[in-house]
mmCIF file of all heavy atoms in Angstrom:
data_model
loop_
_atom_site.group_PDB
_atom_site.id
_atom_site.type_symbol
_atom_site.label_atom_id
_atom_site.label_comp_id
_atom_site.label_asym_id
_atom_site.label_seq_id
_atom_site.Cartn_x
_atom_site.Cartn_y
_atom_site.Cartn_z
ATOM 1 N N TYR A 793 -16.970 8.191 -9.158
ATOM 2 C CA TYR A 793 -18.207 8.541 -8.492
ATOM 3 C C TYR A 793 -18.871 9.640 -9.302
ATOM 4 O O TYR A 793 -18.231 10.603 -9.693
ATOM 5 C CB TYR A 793 -17.940 9.048 -7.068
ATOM 6 C CG TYR A 793 -17.442 7.938 -6.195
ATOM 7 C CD1 TYR A 793 -16.116 7.541 -6.238
ATOM 8 C CD2 TYR A 793 -18.314 7.242 -5.388
ATOM 9 C CE1 TYR A 793 -15.670 6.489 -5.468
ATOM 10 C CE2 TYR A 793 -17.868 6.192 -4.616
ATOM 11 C CZ TYR A 793 -16.555 5.827 -4.658
ATOM 12 O OH TYR A 793 -16.116 4.783 -3.906
ATOM 13 N N THR A 794 -20.157 9.497 -9.532
ATOM 14 C CA THR A 794 -20.869 10.492 -10.341
ATOM 15 C C THR A 794 -22.047 11.054 -9.571
ATOM 16 O O THR A 794 -22.460 10.526 -8.539
ATOM 17 C CB THR A 794 -21.384 9.856 -11.649
ATOM 18 O OG1 THR A 794 -22.366 8.883 -11.310
ATOM 19 C CG2 THR A 794 -20.255 9.219 -12.442
ATOM 20 N N HIS A 795 -22.619 12.115 -10.101
ATOM 21 C CA HIS A 795 -23.789 12.728 -9.480
ATOM 22 C C HIS A 795 -24.986 11.781 -9.512
ATOM 23 O O HIS A 795 -25.887 11.894 -8.690
ATOM 24 C CB HIS A 795 -24.135 14.033 -10.183
ATOM 25 C CG HIS A 795 -23.091 15.086 -9.997
ATOM 26 N ND1 HIS A 795 -22.900 15.740 -8.802
ATOM 27 C CD2 HIS A 795 -22.164 15.563 -10.838
ATOM 28 C CE1 HIS A 795 -21.908 16.594 -8.925
ATOM 29 N NE2 HIS A 795 -21.430 16.508 -10.154
ATOM 30 N N ILE A 796 -25.017 10.860 -10.454
ATOM 31 C CA ILE A 796 -26.121 9.901 -10.526
ATOM 32 C C ILE A 796 -26.194 9.090 -9.235
ATOM 33 O O ILE A 796 -27.272 8.830 -8.714
ATOM 34 C CB ILE A 796 -25.951 8.967 -11.741
ATOM 35 C CG1 ILE A 796 -26.040 9.799 -13.019
ATOM 36 C CG2 ILE A 796 -26.982 7.849 -11.736
ATOM 37 C CD1 ILE A 796 -25.639 9.050 -14.268
ATOM 38 N N TRP A 797 -25.028 8.723 -8.684
ATOM 39 C CA TRP A 797 -25.022 7.957 -7.437
ATOM 40 C C TRP A 797 -25.649 8.774 -6.307
ATOM 41 O O TRP A 797 -26.365 8.241 -5.472
ATOM 42 C CB TRP A 797 -23.605 7.567 -7.056
ATOM 43 C CG TRP A 797 -23.029 6.497 -7.910
ATOM 44 C CD1 TRP A 797 -21.963 6.608 -8.756
ATOM 45 C CD2 TRP A 797 -23.471 5.149 -8.035
ATOM 46 N NE1 TRP A 797 -21.716 5.425 -9.392
ATOM 47 C CE2 TRP A 797 -22.641 4.504 -8.965
ATOM 48 C CE3 TRP A 797 -24.509 4.419 -7.456
ATOM 49 C CZ2 TRP A 797 -22.795 3.176 -9.318
ATOM 50 C CZ3 TRP A 797 -24.651 3.094 -7.811
ATOM 51 C CH2 TRP A 797 -23.820 2.498 -8.724
ATOM 52 N N HIS A 798 -25.380 10.075 -6.278
ATOM 53 C CA HIS A 798 -25.952 10.933 -5.248
ATOM 54 C C HIS A 798 -27.472 10.939 -5.372
ATOM 55 O O HIS A 798 -28.193 10.828 -4.392
ATOM 56 C CB HIS A 798 -25.376 12.344 -5.363
ATOM 57 C CG HIS A 798 -25.891 13.289 -4.321
ATOM 58 N ND1 HIS A 798 -25.609 13.121 -2.990
ATOM 59 C CD2 HIS A 798 -26.682 14.379 -4.422
ATOM 60 C CE1 HIS A 798 -26.200 14.093 -2.306
ATOM 61 N NE2 HIS A 798 -26.857 14.859 -3.158
ATOM 62 N N PHE A 799 -27.990 11.049 -6.589
ATOM 63 C CA PHE A 799 -29.426 11.040 -6.834
ATOM 64 C C PHE A 799 -30.023 9.700 -6.394
ATOM 65 O O PHE A 799 -31.066 9.643 -5.760
ATOM 66 C CB PHE A 799 -29.700 11.302 -8.324
ATOM 67 C CG PHE A 799 -31.155 11.280 -8.677
ATOM 68 C CD1 PHE A 799 -31.974 12.333 -8.320
ATOM 69 C CD2 PHE A 799 -31.698 10.198 -9.354
ATOM 70 C CE1 PHE A 799 -33.328 12.313 -8.634
ATOM 71 C CE2 PHE A 799 -33.040 10.177 -9.677
ATOM 72 C CZ PHE A 799 -33.850 11.224 -9.326
ATOM 73 N N THR A 800 -29.338 8.594 -6.715
ATOM 74 C CA THR A 800 -29.808 7.263 -6.323
ATOM 75 C C THR A 800 -29.859 7.139 -4.809
ATOM 76 O O THR A 800 -30.819 6.598 -4.253
ATOM 77 C CB THR A 800 -28.861 6.184 -6.919
ATOM 78 O OG1 THR A 800 -28.812 6.347 -8.327
ATOM 79 C CG2 THR A 800 -29.358 4.793 -6.563
ATOM 80 N N ALA A 801 -28.840 7.636 -4.138
ATOM 81 C CA ALA A 801 -28.817 7.579 -2.678
ATOM 82 C C ALA A 801 -29.962 8.364 -2.082
ATOM 83 O O ALA A 801 -30.594 7.947 -1.112
ATOM 84 C CB ALA A 801 -27.473 8.101 -2.163
ATOM 85 N N LEU A 802 -30.286 9.545 -2.638
ATOM 86 C CA LEU A 802 -31.406 10.337 -2.140
ATOM 87 C C LEU A 802 -32.719 9.608 -2.358
ATOM 88 O O LEU A 802 -33.589 9.607 -1.489
ATOM 89 C CB LEU A 802 -31.440 11.698 -2.840
ATOM 90 C CG LEU A 802 -30.367 12.698 -2.438
ATOM 91 C CD1 LEU A 802 -30.476 13.965 -3.277
ATOM 92 C CD2 LEU A 802 -30.508 13.055 -0.975
ATOM 93 N N ASN A 803 -32.910 8.963 -3.487
ATOM 94 C CA ASN A 803 -34.131 8.220 -3.752
ATOM 95 C C ASN A 803 -34.291 7.036 -2.813
ATOM 96 O O ASN A 803 -35.398 6.711 -2.401
ATOM 97 C CB ASN A 803 -34.170 7.703 -5.207
ATOM 98 C CG ASN A 803 -34.578 8.791 -6.173
ATOM 99 O OD1 ASN A 803 -35.184 9.779 -5.779
ATOM 100 N ND2 ASN A 803 -34.241 8.598 -7.425
ATOM 101 N N ASN A 804 -33.185 6.407 -2.459
ATOM 102 C CA ASN A 804 -33.262 5.268 -1.540
ATOM 103 C C ASN A 804 -33.690 5.696 -0.145
ATOM 104 O O ASN A 804 -34.242 4.904 0.600
ATOM 105 C CB ASN A 804 -31.914 4.552 -1.470
ATOM 106 C CG ASN A 804 -31.617 3.772 -2.728
ATOM 107 O OD1 ASN A 804 -32.527 3.447 -3.482
ATOM 108 N ND2 ASN A 804 -30.352 3.470 -2.944
ATOM 109 N N LYS A 805 -33.448 6.949 0.230
ATOM 110 C CA LYS A 805 -33.857 7.440 1.545
ATOM 111 C C LYS A 805 -35.346 7.759 1.591
ATOM 112 O O LYS A 805 -35.926 7.863 2.651
ATOM 113 C CB LYS A 805 -33.052 8.692 1.910
ATOM 114 C CG LYS A 805 -31.601 8.390 2.210
ATOM 115 C CD LYS A 805 -30.861 9.646 2.601
ATOM 116 C CE LYS A 805 -29.407 9.341 2.856
ATOM 117 N NZ LYS A 805 -28.666 10.559 3.194
ATOM 118 N N LEU A 806 -35.981 7.952 0.435
ATOM 119 C CA LEU A 806 -37.409 8.299 0.400
ATOM 120 C C LEU A 806 -38.306 7.132 0.695
ATOM 121 O O LEU A 806 -38.132 6.039 0.537
ATOM 122 C CB LEU A 806 -37.764 8.891 -0.976
ATOM 123 C CG LEU A 806 -37.068 10.210 -1.281
ATOM 124 C CD1 LEU A 806 -37.447 10.656 -2.699
ATOM 125 C CD2 LEU A 806 -37.479 11.277 -0.289
#
Side-chain angles (χ1 to χ4, degrees):
Y793 292 80
T794 66
H795 293 288
I796 296 169
W797 287 115
H798 181 66
F799 179 74
T800 303
L802 287 176
N803 281 339
N804 288 339
K805 290 182 182 178
L806 296 177

